[in-house]
Amino acid sequence: MRKHLRTSYRWLTVPSLGLLCLGIVSGMGPETASGQTERLELGRRLQRFEQAWEAADPTARKAAVAPMTAAVRNFFALSLSAAGKQLDEAWRIVREQAAVGELEPQVIHLELLATPRCADSSTNELKVQLKPFYKGEVDKAADSETQIQLHLKLINAQGAVVAEHTLTLAEAKTGSQWSTDKLAEGDYQLVSEVRLGEALFQWPQATITRVDDFESRLVRIEQSLIDAFGKMDDTLFASLSDSVALLRAMQAGTVQEIDYPAARRLRFCEAMLDAQHGAKQNSQQSQLATCIATNARENDVWLSLAVGRKNVAVRLRAPAETTSPVPVLFLFHGAGGSENMFFETYGAGRVVEEGLQRGWLVVAPRQGLFGLSLDVKAMLDVLDGLFEIDRTQVFLLGHSMGAGQVIRQTSLHPQLPLAAVALGGGGRARQPEALRDISWFIGAGEQDFGRSGAQQLHKSLTAAQVPSIYRDYPDVEHMVIVQAAIDDVFQFLDAQLLERQNAN
């Protein structure tokens, strides 16, 4: 993982070097930008499938296992467009057939591109184009492309439509300029749909950001980092450094893995910086903590928790209202994912919602190829200075590779978590007898390639008399296991929390 700017700050005055650093972190340089575009589009389609799966009947869910298994296989083979095609097939299966309609086969393989996604608010034009995400069916009614209309809307944070545009499907495939007039600073949702008779098709929403005085505000943060080199709080320094690198990349048009709310993220950076500058020396940390906690209660926030030169990127959210120290739920993503995965997918963010409803602080760290730069205890130490947390009520939940990370963290700090959850993976615990004070929930789909690892974990824990519950989920593969197990997982966690409270 890249060291934050305390290692080297020279790129601050040379944006291209900042982009290069970001490319190294994400494994994506200019030559693989199209792959990152596919990753963004794949995530949108996965979220769409998960939302439909939640409402599907058991028969439809069972029928979707085969294409979902193929989608996961293609994802790990880096055939992202093929994975998208299989995801769309699974999405079709889990919906009512009447909802598919005659229009969908003509357009489902297309993705809507809108540029620039992130720009200064002086920019008043969007180029929109529909391009194939994968090879679709042959259009038997090509003449209809001039009759089918694409309707576009930009919606602000208050839900109001601020700009609209209509063009034919044929024009959209060629590419068209849309004059939006001047947009106020903000992160807008781009809603796009086509109609043919009674048939309607909508693409997943995309985020379009406009920022006032974008360049000068980025320069201000960059200069503050140079001036504060070696003096600023580690987490603030790392968070601002990583955020400004991301914002520079977005400003340059580099596609990210998700639709980041860049305007909001920039304002959050400025608020943290102002809290640091505006407070008296002896109250800087409390001012910064108040700023972060306030923002985290209102929206998701991205931080880089840091101790010295070591840091780990996290996405977190705090409950809207708290009256006491809050439990902490750590979420560890699988291979190929990031800190965004539990918030964006895995049941379209339902794990996060369940944690927040219970009044828990939800924290999702980013894992790299070599694991975590900071372990759970170190992350808690940093979080303890930002939030009022209850260190006796810490939960760890991981999927696939993340399940392995749960095993590692519990082995490092067996006295720390109250309960642990491993889904779709695991493996034998090396010293299971040290984990006897932790209660475990382990789950896997019957069609899940991680099932053997989950069973092996349960077997090793049971042999060491560690409390462990194992559940198999019929007609579930590797990706959907988190969504399928959510209700059982939180019933288990609720029970562990109640048992702890009764014991006290």
Side-chain angles (χ1 to χ4, degrees), residues 53-370:
W53 188 92
E54 191 73 23
D57 61 39
T59 301
R61 290 180 176 183
K62 181 177 181 178
V65 169
M68 278 303 299
T69 299
V72 172
R73 183 170 61 247
N74 281 317
F75 173 78
F76 284 117
L78 301 181
S79 299
L80 302 190
S81 60
K85 184 174 183 179
Q86 295 297 331
L87 267 179
D88 285 349
E89 173 62 14
W91 181 53
R92 182 192 65 79
I93 289 171
V94 295
R95 290 177 295 150
E96 295 288 339
Q97 290 299 312
V100 175
E102 59 178 311
L103 175 61
E104 184 170 307
Q106 297 185 52
V107 296
I108 190 172
H109 63 291
L110 302 173
E111 64 172 318
L112 179 69
L113 303 177
T115 55
R117 301 170 188 267
C118 179
D120 192 274
S121 53
S122 60
T123 302
N124 62 1
E125 285 196 342
L126 269 176
K127 180 181 179 181
V128 293
Q129 187 171 14
L130 287 170
K131 287 188 174 182
F133 185 53
Y134 55 83
K135 186 176 181 180
E137 296 182 10
V138 176
D139 186 2
K140 298 179 181 179
D143 292 342
S144 67
E145 288 188 1
T146 58
Q147 301 171 12
I148 298 174
Q149 291 189 321
L150 171 65
H151 301 277
L152 302 171
K153 296 179 182 179
L154 280 176
I155 300 176
N156 65 16
Q158 291 72 43
V161 176
V162 298
E164 294 184 81
H165 186 55
T166 301
L167 63 161
T168 67
L169 184 61
E171 290 172 331
K173 287 185 174 182
T174 301
S176 174
Q177 291 292 129
W178 172 15
S179 179
T180 61
D181 295 326
K182 181 175 173 59
L183 296 171
E185 176 173 301
D187 301 301
Y188 297 88
Q189 290 303 301
L190 175 61
V191 177
S192 51
E193 64 181 32
V194 289
R195 291 182 181 272
L196 179 62
E198 296 298 318
L200 168 69
F201 183 84
Q202 291 184 320
W203 279 272
Q205 293 185 15
T207 300
I208 303 296
T209 293
R210 295 294 177 261
V211 180
D212 293 338
D213 303 319
F214 201 0
E215 177 63 22
S216 63
R217 290 163 71 182
L218 286 176
V219 169
R220 180 205 171 208
I221 297 174
E222 291 168 345
Q223 187 60 52
S224 295
L225 288 168
I226 293 173
D227 294 342
F229 184 72
K231 305 173 186 177
M232 188 180 287
D233 171 83
D234 289 336
T235 290
L236 177 60
F237 194 90
S239 297
L240 292 177
S241 302
D242 289 344
S243 288
V244 78
L246 174 75
L247 292 168
R248 278 295 186 194
M250 295 181 70
Q251 182 192 42
T254 306
V255 177
Q256 304 302 311
E257 66 170 9
I258 67 165
D259 283 311
Y260 286 103
R264 173 157 58 82
R265 188 157 178 174
L266 175 59
R267 290 194 295 269
F268 177 51
C269 288
E270 292 172 329
M272 289 192 294
L273 193 59
D274 290 343
Q276 177 87 356
H277 287 166
K280 294 181 180 179
Q281 187 66 31
N282 61 0
S283 63
Q284 282 183 350
Q285 189 62 28
S286 62
Q287 290 280 351
L288 177 61
T290 299
C291 172
I292 292 174
T294 299
N295 278 272
R297 286 194 293 268
E298 297 172 351
N299 295 290
D300 302 346
V301 299
W302 288 265
L303 295 172
S304 294
L305 305 181
V307 178
R309 294 185 177 183
K310 293 183 177 181
N311 67 90
V312 59
V314 302
R315 181 171 175 175
L316 60 82
R317 183 72 177 267
E321 296 181 5
T322 58
T323 56
S324 61
V326 296
V328 182
L329 173 63
F330 283 99
L331 304 174
F332 298 99
H333 63 81
S338 73
E339 69 276 13
N340 297 305
M341 198 157 185
F342 271 97
F343 283 79
E344 302 284 329
T345 57
Y346 285 146
R350 219 189 117 203
V351 172
V352 176
E353 292 173 6
E354 292 288 343
L356 293 174
Q357 288 172 10
R358 287 162 171 78
W360 302 350
L361 176 66
V362 181
V363 183
R366 181 193 303 168
Q367 297 186 80
L369 293 176
F370 303 104

Side-chain angles (χ1 to χ4, degrees), residues 301-500:
V301 299
W302 288 265
L303 295 172
S304 294
L305 305 181
V307 178
R309 294 185 177 183
K310 293 183 177 181
N311 67 90
V312 59
V314 302
R315 181 171 175 175
L316 60 82
R317 183 72 177 267
E321 296 181 5
T322 58
T323 56
S324 61
V326 296
V328 182
L329 173 63
F330 283 99
L331 304 174
F332 298 99
H333 63 81
S338 73
E339 69 276 13
N340 297 305
M341 198 157 185
F342 271 97
F343 283 79
E344 302 284 329
T345 57
Y346 285 146
R350 219 189 117 203
V351 172
V352 176
E353 292 173 6
E354 292 288 343
L356 293 174
Q357 288 172 10
R358 287 162 171 78
W360 302 350
L361 176 66
V362 181
V363 183
R366 181 193 303 168
Q367 297 186 80
L369 293 176
F370 303 104
L372 293 167
S373 296
L374 299 179
D375 62 24
V376 166
K377 182 181 181 300
M379 285 190 281
L380 279 172
D381 290 342
V382 177
L383 291 169
D384 220 351
L386 303 175
F387 299 91
E388 190 176 1
I389 62 176
D390 187 344
R391 298 182 72 134
T392 69
Q393 299 181 23
V394 176
F395 308 107
L396 309 183
L397 188 161
H399 169 245
S400 193
M401 180 182 74
Q405 188 61 247
V406 169
I407 298 172
R408 173 169 173 75
Q409 294 302 317
T410 53
S411 299
L412 287 172
H413 304 291
Q415 77 290 347
L416 192 152
L418 174 60
V421 177
L423 300 173
R428 184 178 63 85
R430 293 185 178 180
Q431 295 180 316
E433 61 279 355
L435 308 179
R436 287 177 181 166
D437 292 333
I438 305 171
S439 295
W440 287 76
F441 182 97
I442 303 166
E446 288 187 350
Q447 307 299 317
D448 186 347
F449 65 75
R451 186 182 183 211
S452 61
Q455 290 175 330
Q456 188 179 41
L457 173 60
H458 174 62
K459 183 177 180 180
S460 65
L461 293 174
T462 301
Q465 298 182 333
V466 177
S468 173
I469 297 172
Y470 178 83
R471 295 269 173 84
D472 263 332
Y473 291 84
D475 303 321
V476 168
E477 45 67 60
H478 188 66
M479 190 68 222
V480 178
I481 178 56
V482 178
Q483 191 170 5
I486 287 176
D487 291 337
D488 291 338
V489 165
F490 280 93
Q491 287 177 13
F492 164 77
L493 295 178
D494 288 342
Q496 304 311 308
L497 192 55
L498 181 60
E499 184 177 331
R500 169 63 63 87

